[in-house]
Coordinates of all heavy atoms in Angstrom, one line a residue:
M27 N -27.4 -30.9 0.3 CA -26.7 -29.9 -0.5 C -26.2 -30.6 -1.8 O -25.5 -31.7 -1.7 CB -25.6 -29.3 0.3 CG -24.9 -28.2 -0.4 SD -23.4 -27.5 0.5 CE -24.2 -26.3 1.5
S28 N -26.4 -30.0 -2.9 CA -26.0 -30.6 -4.2 C -24.5 -30.4 -4.4 O -23.9 -29.6 -3.7 CB -26.7 -30.0 -5.4 OG -26.3 -28.7 -5.6
T29 N -23.9 -31.1 -5.3 CA -22.5 -31.0 -5.6 C -22.2 -29.6 -6.1 O -21.2 -29.0 -5.7 CB -22.1 -32.0 -6.7 OG1 -22.4 -33.3 -6.2 CG2 -20.6 -31.9 -7.0
A30 N -23.0 -29.0 -6.9 CA -22.8 -27.6 -7.4 C -22.9 -26.6 -6.2 O -22.0 -25.7 -6.2 CB -23.9 -27.3 -8.4
D31 N -23.8 -26.8 -5.3 CA -23.9 -25.9 -4.1 C -22.6 -26.0 -3.3 O -22.1 -25.0 -2.8 CB -25.1 -26.2 -3.3 CG -26.4 -25.9 -4.0 OD1 -26.3 -25.0 -4.9 OD2 -27.4 -26.4 -3.6
R32 N -22.1 -27.2 -3.1 CA -20.9 -27.4 -2.3 C -19.7 -26.8 -3.0 O -18.9 -26.1 -2.4 CB -20.6 -28.9 -2.1 CG -21.2 -29.4 -0.8 CD -20.8 -30.8 -0.5 NE -21.9 -31.6 -0.9 CZ -22.0 -32.7 -1.6 NH1 -20.8 -33.2 -2.1 NH2 -23.1 -33.3 -1.9
H33 N -19.6 -26.9 -4.3 CA -18.5 -26.3 -5.1 C -18.6 -24.8 -4.9 O -17.5 -24.1 -4.7 CB -18.6 -26.7 -6.6 CG -17.6 -26.1 -7.4 ND1 -16.2 -26.4 -7.3 CD2 -17.6 -25.1 -8.4 CE1 -15.5 -25.7 -8.1 NE2 -16.3 -24.9 -8.8
T34 N -19.8 -24.2 -5.0 CA -19.9 -22.7 -4.9 C -19.5 -22.3 -3.4 O -18.8 -21.3 -3.3 CB -21.3 -22.3 -5.2 OG1 -21.7 -22.7 -6.5 CG2 -21.5 -20.8 -5.0
A35 N -19.9 -23.0 -2.4 CA -19.6 -22.7 -1.1 C -18.1 -22.8 -0.8 O -17.5 -22.0 -0.2 CB -20.3 -23.6 -0.1
D36 N -17.4 -23.9 -1.4 CA -16.0 -24.0 -1.3 C -15.3 -22.9 -1.9 O -14.3 -22.4 -1.4 CB -15.5 -25.3 -1.9 CG -16.0 -26.6 -1.2 OD1 -16.4 -26.4 0.0 OD2 -15.9 -27.7 -1.7
R37 N -15.8 -22.4 -3.1 CA -15.1 -21.3 -3.8 C -15.2 -20.0 -3.0 O -14.3 -19.2 -2.9 CB -15.7 -21.1 -5.2 CG -14.8 -20.3 -6.1 CD -15.3 -20.3 -7.5 NE -16.6 -20.9 -7.6 CZ -17.4 -20.6 -8.7 NH1 -17.0 -19.9 -9.6 NH2 -18.6 -21.1 -8.7
R38 N -16.4 -19.8 -2.4 CA -16.6 -18.6 -1.6 C -15.6 -18.6 -0.4 O -15.0 -17.6 0.0 CB -18.0 -18.5 -1.1 CG -18.9 -17.7 -2.0 CD -20.2 -17.4 -1.3 NE -21.2 -18.0 -2.1 CZ -22.1 -18.8 -1.8 NH1 -22.2 -19.3 -0.5 NH2 -23.0 -19.3 -2.6
T39 N -15.4 -19.7 0.2 CA -14.5 -19.8 1.4 C -13.1 -19.6 0.9 O -12.3 -18.9 1.6 CB -14.6 -21.2 2.0 OG1 -16.0 -21.4 2.4 CG2 -13.8 -21.4 3.2
A40 N -12.7 -20.1 -0.3 CA -11.4 -20.0 -0.8 C -11.1 -18.5 -1.2 O -9.9 -18.1 -1.1 CB -11.2 -20.9 -2.0
D41 N -12.1 -17.8 -1.5 CA -11.9 -16.4 -1.9 C -11.6 -15.5 -0.8 O -11.1 -14.4 -1.0 CB -13.1 -15.8 -2.7 CG -13.2 -16.4 -4.1 OD1 -12.2 -16.9 -4.6 OD2 -14.3 -16.3 -4.7
R42 N -12.0 -15.9 0.4 CA -11.7 -15.1 1.6 C -10.2 -14.9 1.7 O -9.4 -15.9 1.7 CB -12.3 -15.6 2.9 CG -13.8 -15.6 2.9 CD -14.3 -16.0 4.2 NE -15.7 -16.1 4.1 CZ -16.4 -17.2 4.6 NH1 -15.8 -18.2 5.1 NH2 -17.7 -17.2 4.4
R43 N -9.7 -13.7 2.0 CA -8.3 -13.5 2.1 C -7.8 -13.8 3.5 O -8.3 -13.2 4.5 CB -7.9 -12.0 1.8 CG -8.4 -11.6 0.4 CD -7.4 -12.2 -0.6 NE -7.9 -11.8 -1.9 CZ -7.6 -12.4 -3.0 NH1 -6.8 -13.5 -3.0 NH2 -8.0 -11.9 -4.2
T44 N -6.9 -14.7 3.6 CA -6.3 -15.0 4.9 C -4.9 -14.5 5.0 O -4.2 -14.5 4.0 CB -6.3 -16.6 5.2 OG1 -5.6 -17.2 4.1 CG2 -7.7 -17.1 5.3
P45 N -4.5 -13.9 6.1 CA -3.2 -13.3 6.1 C -2.1 -14.4 5.9 O -2.2 -15.5 6.4 CB -3.1 -12.7 7.5 CG -4.4 -13.0 8.2 CD -5.3 -13.8 7.3
D46 N -1.2 -14.0 5.2 CA 0.0 -14.8 4.9 C 0.9 -14.8 6.1 O 1.2 -13.7 6.6 CB 0.7 -14.3 3.6 CG 1.8 -15.3 3.2 OD1 2.2 -16.2 3.9 OD2 2.3 -15.0 2.1
R47 N 1.3 -15.9 6.6 CA 2.2 -15.9 7.8 C 3.5 -15.1 7.5 O 4.1 -14.5 8.5 CB 2.5 -17.3 8.2 CG 1.4 -17.9 9.0 CD 1.8 -19.3 9.5 NE 1.3 -20.2 8.5 CZ 1.9 -21.4 8.2 NH1 2.9 -21.8 8.9 NH2 1.4 -22.2 7.3
R48 N 4.0 -15.1 6.3 CA 5.2 -14.4 6.0 C 5.1 -12.9 6.1 O 6.1 -12.2 6.4 CB 5.7 -14.8 4.6 CG 6.1 -16.2 4.5 CD 6.4 -16.6 3.1 NE 5.2 -16.5 2.4 CZ 5.0 -16.6 1.1 NH1 6.1 -16.7 0.3 NH2 3.9 -16.6 0.5
T49 N 3.9 -12.4 5.9 CA 3.7 -10.9 5.9 C 2.9 -10.4 7.1 O 2.6 -9.2 7.3 CB 3.0 -10.4 4.6 OG1 1.8 -11.1 4.5 CG2 3.9 -10.7 3.4
A50 N 2.4 -11.4 8.0 CA 1.6 -11.0 9.1 C 2.4 -10.0 10.0 O 3.5 -10.3 10.4 CB 1.2 -12.2 9.8
G51 N 1.7 -9.0 10.4 CA 2.3 -8.0 11.3 C 3.2 -7.0 10.6 O 3.6 -6.0 11.3
R52 N 3.5 -7.2 9.4 CA 4.3 -6.2 8.7 C 3.4 -5.3 7.8 O 2.5 -5.7 7.2 CB 5.3 -6.9 7.7 CG 6.5 -7.5 8.5 CD 7.5 -8.0 7.6 NE 7.3 -9.4 7.4 CZ 7.8 -10.2 6.4 NH1 8.5 -9.6 5.5 NH2 7.6 -11.4 6.4
P53 N 3.8 -4.0 7.7 CA 2.9 -3.1 6.9 C 3.1 -3.4 5.4 O 4.1 -3.9 5.0 CB 3.5 -1.7 7.3 CG 4.9 -2.0 7.7 CD 4.9 -3.3 8.4
T54 N 2.1 -3.1 4.7 CA 2.1 -3.2 3.2 C 2.9 -2.1 2.7 O 2.7 -0.9 3.0 CB 0.7 -3.2 2.7 OG1 0.0 -4.3 3.3 CG2 0.7 -3.4 1.2
L55 N 3.9 -2.4 1.8 CA 4.7 -1.4 1.2 C 4.2 -1.2 -0.3 O 4.0 -2.2 -1.0 CB 6.2 -1.8 1.2 CG 6.7 -2.0 2.6 CD1 8.2 -2.4 2.5 CD2 6.6 -0.8 3.5
I56 N 4.2 0.1 -0.7 CA 3.8 0.4 -2.1 C 4.8 1.2 -2.8 O 5.5 2.0 -2.1 CB 2.4 1.1 -2.1 CG1 2.5 2.4 -1.3 CG2 1.3 0.2 -1.5 CD1 1.2 3.2 -1.4
P57 N 4.9 1.1 -4.1 CA 5.9 1.9 -4.8 C 5.4 3.3 -4.9 O 4.3 3.7 -4.7 CB 5.9 1.2 -6.2 CG 4.6 0.5 -6.3 CD 4.2 0.1 -4.9
G58 N 6.4 4.2 -5.2 CA 6.1 5.6 -5.3 C 5.0 6.1 -6.2 O 4.2 6.9 -5.9
L59 N 4.9 5.4 -7.4 CA 3.8 5.7 -8.3 C 2.5 5.5 -7.7 O 1.6 6.4 -7.8 CB 4.0 4.9 -9.6 CG 3.0 5.2 -10.7 CD1 3.0 6.6 -11.2 CD2 3.2 4.2 -11.8
L60 N 2.3 4.4 -7.1 CA 1.0 4.1 -6.4 C 0.8 5.0 -5.2 O -0.4 5.5 -5.0 CB 0.9 2.6 -6.0 CG -0.4 2.1 -5.4 CD1 -1.5 2.4 -6.3 CD2 -0.2 0.7 -5.0
A61 N 1.8 5.3 -4.5 CA 1.7 6.2 -3.4 C 1.2 7.6 -3.8 O 0.4 8.2 -3.2 CB 3.0 6.4 -2.6
A62 N 1.8 8.1 -5.0 CA 1.4 9.4 -5.5 C -0.1 9.3 -5.9 O -0.8 10.3 -5.7 CB 2.3 9.7 -6.7
Q63 N -0.5 8.2 -6.5 CA -1.9 8.1 -6.9 C -2.9 8.1 -5.7 O -3.9 8.7 -5.8 CB -2.2 6.9 -7.7 CG -1.5 6.9 -9.1 CD -1.6 5.6 -9.8 OE1 -2.0 4.6 -9.2 NE2 -1.2 5.6 -11.1
E64 N -2.5 7.5 -4.7 CA -3.3 7.4 -3.5 C -3.5 8.8 -2.8 O -4.6 9.0 -2.3 CB -2.7 6.5 -2.4 CG -2.8 5.0 -2.8 CD -4.2 4.5 -2.8 OE1 -5.0 4.9 -1.9 OE2 -4.5 3.7 -3.7
V65 N -2.5 9.6 -2.8 CA -2.7 11.0 -2.2 C -3.0 12.1 -3.2 O -3.2 13.2 -2.8 CB -1.5 11.4 -1.3 CG1 -1.4 10.5 -0.1 CG2 -0.2 11.4 -2.1
G66 N -3.1 11.7 -4.5 CA -3.5 12.7 -5.5 C -2.4 13.7 -5.8 O -2.7 14.9 -6.1
V67 N -1.1 13.3 -5.9 CA 0.0 14.1 -6.3 C 0.7 13.5 -7.4 O 0.5 12.3 -7.7 CB 0.9 14.5 -5.1 CG1 0.2 15.2 -4.0 CG2 1.6 13.2 -4.6
A68 N 1.6 14.2 -8.0 CA 2.5 13.7 -9.1 C 3.6 12.8 -8.5 O 4.0 13.1 -7.3 CB 3.1 14.8 -9.9
P69 N 4.1 11.8 -9.2 CA 5.2 11.0 -8.7 C 6.4 11.9 -8.3 O 7.1 11.6 -7.4 CB 5.5 10.0 -9.8 CG 4.2 9.9 -10.5 CD 3.5 11.3 -10.4
A70 N 6.6 13.0 -9.0 CA 7.7 13.8 -8.8 C 7.6 14.5 -7.4 O 8.6 14.7 -6.7 CB 7.8 14.9 -9.8
T71 N 6.4 14.7 -6.9 CA 6.1 15.2 -5.6 C 6.6 14.2 -4.5 O 7.2 14.6 -3.5 CB 4.6 15.5 -5.4 OG1 4.2 16.5 -6.4 CG2 4.4 16.1 -4.0
I72 N 6.3 12.9 -4.7 CA 6.8 11.9 -3.8 C 8.3 12.0 -3.7 O 8.9 12.0 -2.6 CB 6.3 10.5 -4.2 CG1 4.8 10.5 -4.2 CG2 6.9 9.4 -3.3 CD1 4.1 10.6 -2.8
R73 N 9.0 12.0 -4.9 CA 10.4 12.1 -4.9 C 10.9 13.4 -4.2 O 11.9 13.3 -3.4 CB 11.0 12.0 -6.3 CG 10.7 10.7 -7.0 CD 11.4 10.6 -8.3 NE 11.0 11.5 -9.3 CZ 10.0 11.3 -10.2 NH1 9.3 10.2 -10.1 NH2 9.6 12.2 -11.0
K74 N 10.2 14.5 -4.3 CA 10.6 15.7 -3.7 C 10.5 15.6 -2.2 O 11.3 16.1 -1.4 CB 9.8 16.9 -4.3 CG 10.2 18.2 -3.8 CD 11.7 18.5 -4.3 CE 11.8 19.9 -4.8 NZ 13.2 20.1 -5.2
W75 N 9.4 15.0 -1.7 CA 9.2 14.8 -0.3 C 10.3 14.0 0.3 O 10.8 14.3 1.4 CB 7.9 14.2 0.0 CG 6.7 15.0 -0.2 CD1 6.6 16.4 -0.4 CD2 5.3 14.6 -0.3 NE1 5.3 16.8 -0.6 CE2 4.5 15.7 -0.5 CE3 4.7 13.4 -0.2 CZ2 3.1 15.7 -0.7 CZ3 3.3 13.3 -0.3 CH2 2.5 14.4 -0.6
V76 N 10.8 13.0 -0.4 CA 12.0 12.2 0.0 C 13.2 13.1 0.1 O 13.9 13.1 1.1 CB 12.2 11.0 -0.9 CG1 13.5 10.3 -0.5 CG2 11.0 10.0 -0.8
Q77 N 13.5 13.9 -0.9 CA 14.6 14.8 -0.9 C 14.6 15.8 0.2 O 15.6 16.1 0.8 CB 14.7 15.6 -2.2 CG 15.1 14.8 -3.4 CD 15.1 15.6 -4.7 OE1 14.5 16.7 -4.7 NE2 15.6 15.1 -5.8
L78 N 13.4 16.3 0.5 CA 13.3 17.3 1.6 C 13.2 16.7 3.0 O 13.2 17.5 3.9 CB 12.0 18.2 1.3 CG 12.0 19.0 0.0 CD1 10.7 19.7 -0.2 CD2 13.1 20.1 0.1
G79 N 13.1 15.4 3.1 CA 13.1 14.7 4.4 C 11.7 14.6 5.0 O 11.5 14.2 6.1
H80 N 10.6 14.9 4.2 CA 9.3 14.8 4.7 C 8.8 13.3 4.7 O 7.9 13.0 5.4 CB 8.3 15.6 3.8 CG 8.5 17.0 3.8 ND1 8.5 17.8 5.0 CD2 8.8 17.9 2.9 CE1 8.7 19.1 4.7 NE2 9.0 19.2 3.4
L81 N 9.4 12.5 3.8 CA 9.0 11.1 3.6 C 10.3 10.2 3.5 O 11.2 10.6 2.9 CB 8.2 11.0 2.4 CG 7.6 9.6 2.0 CD1 6.7 9.1 3.1 CD2 6.9 9.7 0.7
E82 N 10.2 9.1 4.2 CA 11.4 8.2 4.1 C 10.9 6.8 3.6 O 9.9 6.3 4.0 CB 11.9 8.0 5.6 CG 13.2 7.2 5.6 CD 13.8 7.2 7.0 OE1 13.7 8.2 7.7 OE2 14.3 6.1 7.3
P83 N 11.7 6.3 2.6 CA 11.3 5.0 2.0 C 11.4 4.0 3.1 O 12.3 4.0 3.9 CB 12.3 4.8 0.9 CG 13.0 6.1 0.7 CD 12.8 6.9 1.9
A84 N 10.5 3.0 3.1 CA 10.6 1.9 4.0 C 11.2 0.7 3.5 O 11.5 -0.3 4.2 CB 9.1 1.6 4.5
G85 N 11.6 0.7 2.2 CA 12.2 -0.4 1.6 C 12.5 -0.2 0.1 O 12.2 0.9 -0.4
K86 N 13.0 -1.2 -0.5 CA 13.3 -1.1 -2.0 C 12.9 -2.4 -2.6 O 13.0 -3.5 -2.0 CB 14.8 -0.9 -2.2 CG 15.2 0.5 -1.8 CD 16.6 0.8 -2.4 CE 16.4 1.9 -3.3 NZ 17.5 2.3 -4.1
A87 N 12.5 -2.3 -3.9 CA 12.3 -3.5 -4.7 C 13.0 -3.2 -6.0 O 12.6 -2.4 -6.8 CB 10.8 -3.7 -5.0
G88 N 14.2 -3.7 -6.1 CA 15.1 -3.4 -7.2 C 15.5 -1.9 -7.0 O 16.0 -1.6 -6.0
R89 N 15.2 -1.1 -8.0 CA 15.6 0.3 -7.9 C 14.4 1.2 -7.3 O 14.6 2.3 -7.0 CB 15.9 0.9 -9.3 CG 17.3 0.3 -9.8 CD 17.6 0.8 -11.2 NE 17.5 2.2 -11.3 CZ 17.6 2.9 -12.4 NH1 17.7 2.3 -13.5 NH2 17.5 4.2 -12.4
A90 N 13.2 0.6 -7.3 CA 12.1 1.3 -6.8 C 12.0 1.4 -5.3 O 12.3 0.5 -4.6 CB 10.8 0.6 -7.3
Q91 N 11.7 2.7 -4.9 CA 11.6 2.9 -3.4 C 10.2 2.5 -3.1 O 9.2 2.7 -3.8 CB 11.8 4.4 -3.1 CG 13.2 4.8 -3.3 CD 13.4 6.3 -3.0 OE1 12.5 7.1 -3.2 NE2 14.6 6.6 -2.5
L92 N 10.0 1.9 -1.9 CA 8.7 1.5 -1.4 C 8.4 2.3 -0.1 O 9.3 2.6 0.7 CB 8.7 0.0 -1.0 CG 9.1 -0.9 -2.2 CD1 9.2 -2.4 -1.7 CD2 8.1 -0.8 -3.3
F93 N 7.1 2.6 0.0 CA 6.6 3.4 1.1 C 5.5 2.8 1.9 O 4.7 2.0 1.3 CB 6.2 4.8 0.6 CG 7.2 5.5 -0.2 CD1 7.3 5.4 -1.6 CD2 8.2 6.3 0.4 CE1 8.3 6.0 -2.3 CE2 9.2 6.9 -0.3 CZ 9.2 6.8 -1.6
R94 N 5.3 3.1 3.1 CA 4.2 2.7 3.9 C 3.1 3.8 3.6 O 3.4 5.0 3.6 CB 4.4 2.8 5.4 CG 5.3 1.7 5.9 CD 5.5 1.8 7.4 NE 6.6 0.9 7.8 CZ 7.8 1.3 8.0 NH1 8.2 2.6 7.7 NH2 8.8 0.5 8.3
L95 N 1.9 3.3 3.3 CA 0.8 4.3 2.9 C 0.6 5.3 4.0 O 0.4 6.5 3.8 CB -0.4 3.5 2.6 CG -1.6 4.3 2.0 CD1 -1.1 5.0 0.7 CD2 -2.7 3.4 1.7
E96 N 0.6 4.9 5.3 CA 0.4 5.8 6.4 C 1.5 6.9 6.5 O 1.2 8.0 6.8 CB 0.2 5.1 7.7 CG 1.3 4.2 8.1 CD 1.1 2.7 7.6 OE1 0.1 2.5 6.9 OE2 1.9 1.9 8.0
D97 N 2.7 6.5 6.1 CA 3.8 7.5 6.0 C 3.5 8.6 4.9 O 3.8 9.8 5.1 CB 5.1 6.9 5.8 CG 5.6 6.0 7.0 OD1 5.0 6.2 8.1 OD2 6.5 5.2 6.8
V98 N 3.0 8.1 3.8 CA 2.7 9.0 2.7 C 1.6 10.0 3.0 O 1.7 11.2 2.8 CB 2.3 8.2 1.4 CG1 1.9 9.1 0.3 CG2 3.5 7.2 1.0
F99 N 0.6 9.5 3.7 CA -0.5 10.4 4.1 C 0.0 11.4 5.2 O -0.4 12.5 5.2 CB -1.7 9.6 4.7 CG -2.6 9.0 3.6 CD1 -2.7 7.6 3.6 CD2 -3.2 9.8 2.7 CE1 -3.5 7.0 2.6 CE2 -4.0 9.2 1.7 CZ -4.1 7.8 1.6
A100 N 0.9 10.9 6.1 CA 1.4 11.8 7.1 C 2.3 12.9 6.4 O 2.2 14.1 6.8 CB 2.3 11.1 8.1
A101 N 3.1 12.6 5.4 CA 3.9 13.6 4.7 C 3.0 14.5 3.9 O 3.3 15.8 3.9 CB 4.8 12.9 3.7
E102 N 1.9 14.0 3.4 CA 1.0 14.9 2.7 C 0.3 15.9 3.6 O 0.2 17.1 3.3 CB -0.1 14.1 2.0 CG -1.0 14.8 1.0 CD -2.2 15.3 1.6 OE1 -2.7 14.8 2.6 OE2 -2.8 16.3 1.0
R103 N -0.1 15.4 4.8 CA -0.7 16.4 5.8 C 0.4 17.4 6.3 O 0.1 18.6 6.4 CB -1.2 15.6 7.0 CG -2.5 14.9 6.7 CD -3.1 14.3 8.0 NE -2.2 13.4 8.7 CZ -2.1 12.1 8.5 NH1 -2.9 11.5 7.6 NH2 -1.3 11.4 9.2
A104 N 1.6 16.9 6.5 CA 2.6 17.8 7.0 C 3.0 18.9 6.0 O 3.2 20.1 6.3 CB 3.9 17.0 7.3
T105 N 3.0 18.6 4.7 CA 3.4 19.6 3.7 C 2.2 20.5 3.5 O 2.4 21.7 3.1 CB 3.8 18.9 2.4 OG1 2.8 18.1 1.9 CG2 5.1 18.1 2.5
R106 N 1.0 20.0 3.6 CA -0.2 20.9 3.5 C -0.2 21.9 4.6 O -0.5 23.1 4.4 CB -1.5 20.1 3.5 CG -2.7 20.9 3.1 CD -4.0 20.3 3.0 NE -3.9 18.9 2.6 CZ -4.7 17.9 3.1 NH1 -5.6 18.2 4.0 NH2 -4.6 16.7 2.7
R107 N 0.1 21.5 5.8 CA 0.2 22.5 7.0 C 1.3 23.5 6.8 O 1.1 24.6 7.3 CB 0.4 21.7 8.3 CG -0.9 21.3 8.9 CD -0.6 20.7 10.3 NE -0.8 19.3 10.2 CZ 0.1 18.4 10.6 NH1 1.2 18.7 11.2 NH2 -0.2 17.1 10.4
A108 N 2.4 23.1 6.2 CA 3.5 24.0 6.1 C 3.3 25.2 5.1 O 4.0 26.2 5.1 CB 4.8 23.2 5.6
R109 N 2.3 25.1 4.3 CA 2.0 26.2 3.3 C 1.5 27.4 3.9 O 0.8 27.6 4.7 CB 1.0 25.7 2.2 CG 1.6 24.7 1.3 CD 0.5 24.3 0.3 NE 0.9 23.0 -0.3 CZ 0.2 22.4 -1.2 NH1 -0.9 23.0 -1.7 NH2 0.6 21.3 -1.8

């Protein structure tokens, strides 16, 4: 194997995402703006779901509320059923 081939193989191996021990087992938290984009609603809708109790923030980053994506999808399904 040439040096260039080894370098390419090393880079491919390094590109693989390995779980970080600090975040292993914890859900990924996303800000409200990204949560709104994921379910196709306006950011104001996410804030309204929080006010109405359909969605609960899982954390904060500064002033921004953070949500679990699965909670956002559950809130979206629950509000769609309520119509």
Side-chain angles (χ1 to χ4, degrees):
M27 184 184 272
S28 72
T29 305
D31 291 337
R32 267 187 257 131
H33 178 68
T34 302
D36 289 344
R37 196 169 16 158
R38 267 191 240 122
T39 304
D41 285 345
R42 291 189 188 130
R43 301 287 180 202
T44 55
D46 187 351
R47 280 184 269 150
R48 292 173 291 171
T49 60
R52 285 190 260 161
T54 302
L55 302 178
I56 60 172
L59 180 62
L60 184 55
Q63 291 173 349
E64 286 293 322
V65 293
V67 298
T71 303
I72 298 292
R73 292 190 297 272
K74 189 59 137 178
W75 289 347
V76 171
Q77 287 176 349
L78 294 173
H80 297 299
L81 180 61
E82 188 173 322
K86 289 192 115 185
R89 292 176 52 189
Q91 294 178 327
L92 302 175
F93 303 94
R94 289 182 194 92
L95 190 55
E96 52 271 7
D97 293 345
V98 176
F99 283 120
E102 192 265 339
R103 283 191 304 272
T105 58
R106 191 178 326 144
R107 267 187 258 129
R109 290 183 197 180

